[in-house]
Amino acid sequence: AVDAACGDSESWVKTGRYRLTSHIDINKTISLYGGFQGHESDRRERNWEKQTTIIDGDGKVQCVHVSADATIDGFIITNGYSSEESSGISINNGASPRVENVTFYRNDGGGVWNGYNCSSVFRNCAFIENVSNGWGGAIMNVYTLTISNSRFLRNNARYDGGEIYNWTEDSSAYIVNCIFTDNAKGAIVNYNNQPIITNCTIVGNQDFGIANHNAQLTVSNTILWGNQEEIVNHDNSLIS
């Protein structure tokens, strides 16, 4: 679908499991939509929740590499493997993709890498049982991340940030209407940045709910409860 697509086009992907031998390279400004049976004439006729479209790294390869301002909507991304950047989706080259209605499930190497100069938007996504060999089991963010209406469950990292690790002073994160629960190595880590967390539920995570390292966190209308520690501050971090 990607190779055949022209820039600024829309491609519909039929339900099924697509086992990869190499990653999918999205290097064009295209829109990919999963959840189709093949007879639809309008995108609204699809059912991405029941007619699942699965991108499967088969435990051997990274699933998706994004280097353009693409839309990815209505997929399950699973079984990715990478010893370096994320095994689910790796976003690079200053791309600003929009990812909606996507489940990241059991990727070994992390769910998402949001790279330098990349401004990515995630909406209505699920991150379940992803594992990172370093930081950020669900998402490793080094630039601009906006995520809303999403849930994070049982993710893990070797070091910190079982859910989201916002790394470097260049990174910023806007996290709205999300649920974080039962994650190892804490839920959210902020390092030298100014994240905003609004209307979230951060409950029952190991180690901590939020950890700040020289960060200026703005948090509002958010429940932190039953975490090993709710908020941990290091290195002159501030909360408002």
Side-chain angles (χ1 to χ4, degrees), residues 67-112:
S67 57
D69 299 347
T71 295
I72 303 169
D73 187 321
F75 294 88
I76 296 173
I77 295 177
T78 187
N79 289 332
Y81 173 77
S82 175
S83 60
E84 297 179 357
E85 294 177 359
S86 171
S87 55
I89 290 182
S90 179
I91 303 165
N92 289 288
N93 199 37
S96 298
R98 186 174 186 89
V99 182
E100 295 193 43
N101 307 318
V102 173
T103 296
F104 297 85
Y105 179 61
R106 288 192 173 179
N107 293 288
D108 183 359
V112 172

mmCIF file of all heavy atoms in Angstrom, residues 67-112:
data_model
loop_
_atom_site.group_PDB
_atom_site.id
_atom_site.type_symbol
_atom_site.label_atom_id
_atom_site.label_comp_id
_atom_site.label_asym_id
_atom_site.label_seq_id
_atom_site.Cartn_x
_atom_site.Cartn_y
_atom_site.Cartn_z
ATOM 1 N N SER A 67 9.019 8.769 8.290
ATOM 2 C CA SER A 67 9.873 9.929 8.031
ATOM 3 C C SER A 67 9.121 11.000 7.242
ATOM 4 O O SER A 67 9.734 11.826 6.565
ATOM 5 C CB SER A 67 11.138 9.503 7.277
ATOM 6 O OG SER A 67 10.806 8.850 6.070
ATOM 7 N N ALA A 68 7.794 10.985 7.325
ATOM 8 C CA ALA A 68 6.959 11.963 6.618
ATOM 9 C C ALA A 68 5.723 12.258 7.462
ATOM 10 O O ALA A 68 5.424 11.544 8.420
ATOM 11 C CB ALA A 68 6.554 11.427 5.240
ATOM 12 N N ASP A 69 4.994 13.301 7.084
ATOM 13 C CA ASP A 69 3.815 13.727 7.845
ATOM 14 C C ASP A 69 2.606 12.884 7.468
ATOM 15 O O ASP A 69 1.656 13.352 6.822
ATOM 16 C CB ASP A 69 3.535 15.206 7.590
ATOM 17 C CG ASP A 69 4.688 16.098 8.023
ATOM 18 O OD1 ASP A 69 5.577 15.609 8.735
ATOM 19 O OD2 ASP A 69 4.691 17.276 7.631
ATOM 20 N N ALA A 70 2.633 11.632 7.887
ATOM 21 C CA ALA A 70 1.607 10.664 7.493
ATOM 22 C C ALA A 70 0.523 10.547 8.561
ATOM 23 O O ALA A 70 0.683 10.984 9.701
ATOM 24 C CB ALA A 70 2.246 9.301 7.259
ATOM 25 N N THR A 71 -0.592 9.901 8.179
ATOM 26 C CA THR A 71 -1.641 9.503 9.108
ATOM 27 C C THR A 71 -1.689 7.986 9.149
ATOM 28 O O THR A 71 -1.718 7.329 8.101
ATOM 29 C CB THR A 71 -3.005 10.054 8.676
ATOM 30 O OG1 THR A 71 -2.986 11.481 8.754
ATOM 31 C CG2 THR A 71 -4.118 9.524 9.567
ATOM 32 N N ILE A 72 -1.698 7.430 10.359
ATOM 33 C CA ILE A 72 -1.801 5.982 10.562
ATOM 34 C C ILE A 72 -2.994 5.755 11.475
ATOM 35 O O ILE A 72 -3.001 6.224 12.617
ATOM 36 C CB ILE A 72 -0.515 5.416 11.179
ATOM 37 C CG1 ILE A 72 0.693 5.746 10.295
ATOM 38 C CG2 ILE A 72 -0.632 3.909 11.388
ATOM 39 C CD1 ILE A 72 2.029 5.453 10.963
ATOM 40 N N ASP A 73 -4.002 5.024 11.000
ATOM 41 C CA ASP A 73 -5.276 4.981 11.717
ATOM 42 C C ASP A 73 -5.898 3.588 11.590
ATOM 43 O O ASP A 73 -6.136 3.102 10.486
ATOM 44 C CB ASP A 73 -6.213 6.036 11.108
ATOM 45 C CG ASP A 73 -7.513 6.219 11.878
ATOM 46 O OD1 ASP A 73 -8.078 5.220 12.359
ATOM 47 O OD2 ASP A 73 -7.975 7.365 11.984
ATOM 48 N N GLY A 74 -6.148 2.942 12.731
ATOM 49 C CA GLY A 74 -6.914 1.703 12.730
ATOM 50 C C GLY A 74 -6.092 0.441 12.569
ATOM 51 O O GLY A 74 -6.471 -0.445 11.796
ATOM 52 N N PHE A 75 -5.000 0.311 13.322
ATOM 53 C CA PHE A 75 -4.122 -0.855 13.212
ATOM 54 C C PHE A 75 -3.781 -1.402 14.595
ATOM 55 O O PHE A 75 -3.877 -0.706 15.605
ATOM 56 C CB PHE A 75 -2.818 -0.492 12.500
ATOM 57 C CG PHE A 75 -2.975 -0.113 11.057
ATOM 58 C CD1 PHE A 75 -3.241 1.205 10.702
ATOM 59 C CD2 PHE A 75 -2.870 -1.065 10.062
ATOM 60 C CE1 PHE A 75 -3.393 1.565 9.369
ATOM 61 C CE2 PHE A 75 -3.017 -0.717 8.722
ATOM 62 C CZ PHE A 75 -3.277 0.596 8.379
ATOM 63 N N ILE A 76 -3.339 -2.652 14.621
ATOM 64 C CA ILE A 76 -2.645 -3.226 15.760
ATOM 65 C C ILE A 76 -1.198 -3.435 15.337
ATOM 66 O O ILE A 76 -0.940 -4.068 14.307
ATOM 67 C CB ILE A 76 -3.269 -4.551 16.211
ATOM 68 C CG1 ILE A 76 -4.692 -4.326 16.716
ATOM 69 C CG2 ILE A 76 -2.419 -5.204 17.304
ATOM 70 C CD1 ILE A 76 -5.442 -5.613 17.025
ATOM 71 N N ILE A 77 -0.267 -2.892 16.099
ATOM 72 C CA ILE A 77 1.156 -3.031 15.805
ATOM 73 C C ILE A 77 1.758 -3.883 16.911
ATOM 74 O O ILE A 77 1.757 -3.489 18.081
ATOM 75 C CB ILE A 77 1.835 -1.662 15.709
ATOM 76 C CG1 ILE A 77 1.252 -0.893 14.514
ATOM 77 C CG2 ILE A 77 3.345 -1.804 15.579
ATOM 78 C CD1 ILE A 77 1.791 0.515 14.358
ATOM 79 N N THR A 78 2.265 -5.056 16.545
ATOM 80 C CA THR A 78 2.644 -6.030 17.565
ATOM 81 C C THR A 78 3.881 -6.816 17.167
ATOM 82 O O THR A 78 4.248 -6.898 15.990
ATOM 83 C CB THR A 78 1.466 -6.992 17.829
ATOM 84 O OG1 THR A 78 1.780 -7.829 18.941
ATOM 85 C CG2 THR A 78 1.169 -7.864 16.616
ATOM 86 N N ASN A 79 4.531 -7.390 18.167
ATOM 87 C CA ASN A 79 5.657 -8.311 17.968
ATOM 88 C C ASN A 79 6.838 -7.680 17.247
ATOM 89 O O ASN A 79 7.647 -8.374 16.625
ATOM 90 C CB ASN A 79 5.224 -9.565 17.195
ATOM 91 C CG ASN A 79 4.345 -10.473 18.038
ATOM 92 O OD1 ASN A 79 4.451 -10.501 19.261
ATOM 93 N ND2 ASN A 79 3.451 -11.187 17.381
ATOM 94 N N GLY A 80 6.947 -6.343 17.319
ATOM 95 C CA GLY A 80 8.126 -5.706 16.761
ATOM 96 C C GLY A 80 9.349 -5.989 17.605
ATOM 97 O O GLY A 80 9.252 -6.239 18.808
ATOM 98 N N TYR A 81 10.504 -5.950 16.982
ATOM 99 C CA TYR A 81 11.760 -6.155 17.719
ATOM 100 C C TYR A 81 12.801 -5.156 17.226
ATOM 101 O O TYR A 81 12.989 -4.955 16.021
ATOM 102 C CB TYR A 81 12.307 -7.561 17.522
ATOM 103 C CG TYR A 81 13.685 -7.705 18.141
ATOM 104 C CD1 TYR A 81 13.828 -7.853 19.519
ATOM 105 C CD2 TYR A 81 14.834 -7.613 17.358
ATOM 106 C CE1 TYR A 81 15.087 -7.930 20.100
ATOM 107 C CE2 TYR A 81 16.091 -7.684 17.925
ATOM 108 C CZ TYR A 81 16.208 -7.843 19.303
ATOM 109 O OH TYR A 81 17.450 -7.895 19.870
ATOM 110 N N SER A 82 13.489 -4.534 18.183
ATOM 111 C CA SER A 82 14.622 -3.667 17.857
ATOM 112 C C SER A 82 15.525 -3.572 19.069
ATOM 113 O O SER A 82 15.055 -3.472 20.205
ATOM 114 C CB SER A 82 14.143 -2.261 17.473
ATOM 115 O OG SER A 82 15.250 -1.400 17.268
ATOM 116 N N SER A 83 16.828 -3.597 18.827
ATOM 117 C CA SER A 83 17.790 -3.417 19.904
ATOM 118 C C SER A 83 18.212 -1.957 20.026
ATOM 119 O O SER A 83 18.997 -1.612 20.902
ATOM 120 C CB SER A 83 19.035 -4.289 19.653
ATOM 121 O OG SER A 83 19.652 -3.924 18.426
ATOM 122 N N GLU A 84 17.685 -1.087 19.156
ATOM 123 C CA GLU A 84 18.063 0.328 19.163
ATOM 124 C C GLU A 84 16.815 1.190 19.369
ATOM 125 O O GLU A 84 16.316 1.312 20.472
ATOM 126 C CB GLU A 84 18.790 0.676 17.868
ATOM 127 C CG GLU A 84 20.102 -0.100 17.704
ATOM 128 C CD GLU A 84 20.822 0.215 16.424
ATOM 129 O OE1 GLU A 84 20.277 0.999 15.616
ATOM 130 O OE2 GLU A 84 21.936 -0.304 16.224
ATOM 131 N N GLU A 85 16.274 1.799 18.296
ATOM 132 C CA GLU A 85 15.080 2.610 18.421
ATOM 133 C C GLU A 85 13.860 1.703 18.594
ATOM 134 O O GLU A 85 13.943 0.497 18.509
ATOM 135 C CB GLU A 85 14.922 3.511 17.199
ATOM 136 C CG GLU A 85 16.029 4.552 17.091
ATOM 137 C CD GLU A 85 15.900 5.390 15.833
ATOM 138 O OE1 GLU A 85 14.967 5.148 15.048
ATOM 139 O OE2 GLU A 85 16.736 6.287 15.645
ATOM 140 N N SER A 86 12.721 2.330 18.796
ATOM 141 C CA SER A 86 11.513 1.578 19.124
ATOM 142 C C SER A 86 11.192 0.505 18.099
ATOM 143 O O SER A 86 11.409 0.661 16.906
ATOM 144 C CB SER A 86 10.338 2.546 19.223
ATOM 145 O OG SER A 86 9.143 1.846 19.334
ATOM 146 N N SER A 87 10.636 -0.584 18.585
ATOM 147 C CA SER A 87 10.304 -1.708 17.708
ATOM 148 C C SER A 87 8.906 -1.596 17.118
ATOM 149 O O SER A 87 8.573 -2.297 16.166
ATOM 150 C CB SER A 87 10.417 -3.024 18.487
ATOM 151 O OG SER A 87 9.608 -2.987 19.649
ATOM 152 N N GLY A 88 8.060 -0.721 17.666
ATOM 153 C CA GLY A 88 6.718 -0.535 17.117
ATOM 154 C C GLY A 88 6.741 0.469 15.978
ATOM 155 O O GLY A 88 6.710 0.114 14.803
ATOM 156 N N ILE A 89 6.769 1.751 16.321
ATOM 157 C CA ILE A 89 6.916 2.825 15.340
ATOM 158 C C ILE A 89 8.113 3.675 15.722
ATOM 159 O O ILE A 89 8.218 4.136 16.863
ATOM 160 C CB ILE A 89 5.658 3.715 15.266
ATOM 161 C CG1 ILE A 89 4.483 2.965 14.635
ATOM 162 C CG2 ILE A 89 5.933 4.972 14.460
ATOM 163 C CD1 ILE A 89 3.217 3.803 14.497
ATOM 164 N N SER A 90 8.998 3.922 14.768
ATOM 165 C CA SER A 90 10.120 4.833 14.936
ATOM 166 C C SER A 90 9.879 6.052 14.049
ATOM 167 O O SER A 90 9.734 5.914 12.832
ATOM 168 C CB SER A 90 11.434 4.149 14.558
ATOM 169 O OG SER A 90 12.517 5.039 14.707
ATOM 170 N N ILE A 91 9.810 7.232 14.661
ATOM 171 C CA ILE A 91 9.493 8.471 13.945
ATOM 172 C C ILE A 91 10.753 9.332 13.902
ATOM 173 O O ILE A 91 11.331 9.660 14.937
ATOM 174 C CB ILE A 91 8.350 9.228 14.636
ATOM 175 C CG1 ILE A 91 7.106 8.327 14.737
ATOM 176 C CG2 ILE A 91 8.010 10.524 13.894
ATOM 177 C CD1 ILE A 91 6.057 8.837 15.703
ATOM 178 N N ASN A 92 11.179 9.710 12.701
ATOM 179 C CA ASN A 92 12.443 10.441 12.516
ATOM 180 C C ASN A 92 12.324 11.470 11.403
ATOM 181 O O ASN A 92 11.257 11.672 10.834
ATOM 182 C CB ASN A 92 13.575 9.454 12.198
ATOM 183 C CG ASN A 92 13.969 8.623 13.402
ATOM 184 O OD1 ASN A 92 14.588 9.119 14.333
ATOM 185 N ND2 ASN A 92 13.604 7.354 13.399
ATOM 186 N N ASN A 93 13.438 12.130 11.106
ATOM 187 C CA ASN A 93 13.560 13.034 9.967
ATOM 188 C C ASN A 93 12.618 14.234 10.071
ATOM 189 O O ASN A 93 12.135 14.748 9.071
ATOM 190 C CB ASN A 93 13.298 12.282 8.649
ATOM 191 C CG ASN A 93 13.851 13.007 7.438
ATOM 192 O OD1 ASN A 93 14.915 13.610 7.510
ATOM 193 N ND2 ASN A 93 13.128 12.970 6.325
ATOM 194 N N GLY A 94 12.330 14.683 11.304
ATOM 195 C CA GLY A 94 11.473 15.848 11.478
ATOM 196 C C GLY A 94 10.027 15.625 11.112
ATOM 197 O O GLY A 94 9.281 16.589 10.870
ATOM 198 N N ALA A 95 9.590 14.391 11.093
ATOM 199 C CA ALA A 95 8.216 14.079 10.693
ATOM 200 C C ALA A 95 7.216 14.503 11.772
ATOM 201 O O ALA A 95 7.546 14.568 12.960
ATOM 202 C CB ALA A 95 8.072 12.589 10.418
ATOM 203 N N SER A 96 5.985 14.759 11.340
ATOM 204 C CA SER A 96 4.890 15.116 12.245
ATOM 205 C C SER A 96 3.673 14.258 11.926
ATOM 206 O O SER A 96 2.669 14.751 11.399
ATOM 207 C CB SER A 96 4.555 16.609 12.125
ATOM 208 O OG SER A 96 5.661 17.405 12.486
ATOM 209 N N PRO A 97 3.727 12.973 12.224
ATOM 210 C CA PRO A 97 2.604 12.094 11.892
ATOM 211 C C PRO A 97 1.447 12.232 12.881
ATOM 212 O O PRO A 97 1.603 12.721 14.006
ATOM 213 C CB PRO A 97 3.229 10.702 11.987
ATOM 214 C CG PRO A 97 4.271 10.867 13.042
ATOM 215 C CD PRO A 97 4.835 12.243 12.848
ATOM 216 N N ARG A 98 0.299 11.749 12.443
ATOM 217 C CA ARG A 98 -0.889 11.648 13.293
ATOM 218 C C ARG A 98 -1.243 10.166 13.388
ATOM 219 O O ARG A 98 -1.446 9.512 12.362
ATOM 220 C CB ARG A 98 -2.050 12.437 12.710
ATOM 221 C CG ARG A 98 -3.270 12.494 13.629
ATOM 222 C CD ARG A 98 -4.347 13.404 13.081
ATOM 223 N NE ARG A 98 -5.430 13.557 14.027
ATOM 224 C CZ ARG A 98 -5.480 14.478 14.976
ATOM 225 N NH1 ARG A 98 -4.478 15.332 15.095
ATOM 226 N NH2 ARG A 98 -6.493 14.564 15.807
ATOM 227 N N VAL A 99 -1.299 9.651 14.618
ATOM 228 C CA VAL A 99 -1.551 8.238 14.854
ATOM 229 C C VAL A 99 -2.831 8.113 15.677
ATOM 230 O O VAL A 99 -2.894 8.626 16.802
ATOM 231 C CB VAL A 99 -0.368 7.573 15.591
ATOM 232 C CG1 VAL A 99 -0.619 6.090 15.792
ATOM 233 C CG2 VAL A 99 0.939 7.801 14.811
ATOM 234 N N GLU A 100 -3.848 7.456 15.124
ATOM 235 C CA GLU A 100 -5.129 7.340 15.804
ATOM 236 C C GLU A 100 -5.616 5.895 15.765
ATOM 237 O O GLU A 100 -5.371 5.167 14.799
ATOM 238 C CB GLU A 100 -6.188 8.246 15.164
ATOM 239 C CG GLU A 100 -5.898 9.730 15.286
ATOM 240 C CD GLU A 100 -7.118 10.574 14.931
ATOM 241 O OE1 GLU A 100 -8.233 10.229 15.362
ATOM 242 O OE2 GLU A 100 -6.942 11.582 14.228
ATOM 243 N N ASN A 101 -6.325 5.513 16.813
ATOM 244 C CA ASN A 101 -6.977 4.193 16.854
ATOM 245 C C ASN A 101 -5.980 3.060 16.600
ATOM 246 O O ASN A 101 -6.276 2.107 15.871
ATOM 247 C CB ASN A 101 -8.121 4.134 15.821
ATOM 248 C CG ASN A 101 -9.100 5.275 15.969
ATOM 249 O OD1 ASN A 101 -9.471 5.649 17.076
ATOM 250 N ND2 ASN A 101 -9.516 5.845 14.851
ATOM 251 N N VAL A 102 -4.811 3.177 17.207
ATOM 252 C CA VAL A 102 -3.763 2.171 17.028
ATOM 253 C C VAL A 102 -3.434 1.546 18.382
ATOM 254 O O VAL A 102 -3.280 2.250 19.384
ATOM 255 C CB VAL A 102 -2.492 2.781 16.401
ATOM 256 C CG1 VAL A 102 -1.354 1.761 16.378
ATOM 257 C CG2 VAL A 102 -2.785 3.262 14.982
ATOM 258 N N THR A 103 -3.330 0.219 18.394
ATOM 259 C CA THR A 103 -2.909 -0.511 19.589
ATOM 260 C C THR A 103 -1.485 -0.999 19.402
ATOM 261 O O THR A 103 -1.170 -1.651 18.404
ATOM 262 C CB THR A 103 -3.832 -1.710 19.860
ATOM 263 O OG1 THR A 103 -5.150 -1.226 20.154
ATOM 264 C CG2 THR A 103 -3.335 -2.537 21.034
ATOM 265 N N PHE A 104 -0.624 -0.667 20.361
ATOM 266 C CA PHE A 104 0.757 -1.143 20.382
ATOM 267 C C PHE A 104 0.819 -2.246 21.427
ATOM 268 O O PHE A 104 0.668 -1.990 22.621
ATOM 269 C CB PHE A 104 1.702 -0.006 20.749
ATOM 270 C CG PHE A 104 1.719 1.121 19.753
ATOM 271 C CD1 PHE A 104 0.776 2.141 19.825
ATOM 272 C CD2 PHE A 104 2.672 1.165 18.752
ATOM 273 C CE1 PHE A 104 0.786 3.178 18.911
ATOM 274 C CE2 PHE A 104 2.691 2.196 17.833
ATOM 275 C CZ PHE A 104 1.734 3.206 17.910
ATOM 276 N N TYR A 105 1.045 -3.470 20.979
ATOM 277 C CA TYR A 105 0.914 -4.623 21.865
ATOM 278 C C TYR A 105 2.148 -5.515 21.801
ATOM 279 O O TYR A 105 2.532 -5.986 20.728
ATOM 280 C CB TYR A 105 -0.325 -5.422 21.477
ATOM 281 C CG TYR A 105 -0.562 -6.666 22.309
ATOM 282 C CD1 TYR A 105 -0.764 -6.580 23.683
ATOM 283 C CD2 TYR A 105 -0.600 -7.919 21.706
ATOM 284 C CE1 TYR A 105 -0.980 -7.717 24.444
ATOM 285 C CE2 TYR A 105 -0.820 -9.068 22.456
ATOM 286 C CZ TYR A 105 -1.008 -8.956 23.829
ATOM 287 O OH TYR A 105 -1.219 -10.094 24.584
ATOM 288 N N ARG A 106 2.793 -5.679 22.941
ATOM 289 C CA ARG A 106 3.910 -6.608 23.092
ATOM 290 C C ARG A 106 5.013 -6.398 22.058
ATOM 291 O O ARG A 106 5.428 -7.327 21.355
ATOM 292 C CB ARG A 106 3.417 -8.043 23.073
ATOM 293 C CG ARG A 106 2.672 -8.430 24.344
ATOM 294 C CD ARG A 106 2.435 -9.915 24.443
ATOM 295 N NE ARG A 106 1.857 -10.268 25.742
ATOM 296 C CZ ARG A 106 1.526 -11.490 26.110
ATOM 297 N NH1 ARG A 106 1.710 -12.500 25.263
ATOM 298 N NH2 ARG A 106 1.017 -11.724 27.301
ATOM 299 N N ASN A 107 5.485 -5.174 21.968
ATOM 300 C CA ASN A 107 6.657 -4.885 21.149
ATOM 301 C C ASN A 107 7.905 -4.916 22.028
ATOM 302 O O ASN A 107 7.934 -4.339 23.115
ATOM 303 C CB ASN A 107 6.498 -3.524 20.471
ATOM 304 C CG ASN A 107 5.385 -3.532 19.456
ATOM 305 O OD1 ASN A 107 5.511 -4.119 18.384
ATOM 306 N ND2 ASN A 107 4.265 -2.888 19.796
ATOM 307 N N ASP A 108 8.937 -5.598 21.558
ATOM 308 C CA ASP A 108 10.171 -5.796 22.319
ATOM 309 C C ASP A 108 11.210 -4.804 21.821
ATOM 310 O O ASP A 108 11.822 -4.993 20.760
ATOM 311 C CB ASP A 108 10.666 -7.233 22.139
ATOM 312 C CG ASP A 108 11.907 -7.535 22.969
ATOM 313 O OD1 ASP A 108 12.396 -6.634 23.667
ATOM 314 O OD2 ASP A 108 12.390 -8.681 22.909
ATOM 315 N N GLY A 109 11.396 -3.741 22.591
ATOM 316 C CA GLY A 109 12.271 -2.647 22.182
ATOM 317 C C GLY A 109 11.566 -1.314 22.323
ATOM 318 O O GLY A 109 12.125 -0.261 22.008
ATOM 319 N N GLY A 110 10.323 -1.340 22.827
ATOM 320 C CA GLY A 110 9.546 -0.124 23.043
ATOM 321 C C GLY A 110 8.471 0.066 21.996
ATOM 322 O O GLY A 110 8.572 -0.418 20.861
ATOM 323 N N GLY A 111 7.404 0.756 22.385
ATOM 324 C CA GLY A 111 6.284 0.971 21.476
ATOM 325 C C GLY A 111 6.555 2.026 20.427
ATOM 326 O O GLY A 111 6.365 1.805 19.235
ATOM 327 N N VAL A 112 7.034 3.215 20.871
ATOM 328 C CA VAL A 112 7.209 4.362 19.965
ATOM 329 C C VAL A 112 8.497 5.100 20.297
ATOM 330 O O VAL A 112 8.809 5.339 21.469
ATOM 331 C CB VAL A 112 6.022 5.350 20.089
ATOM 332 C CG1 VAL A 112 6.284 6.631 19.300
ATOM 333 C CG2 VAL A 112 4.727 4.701 19.623
#
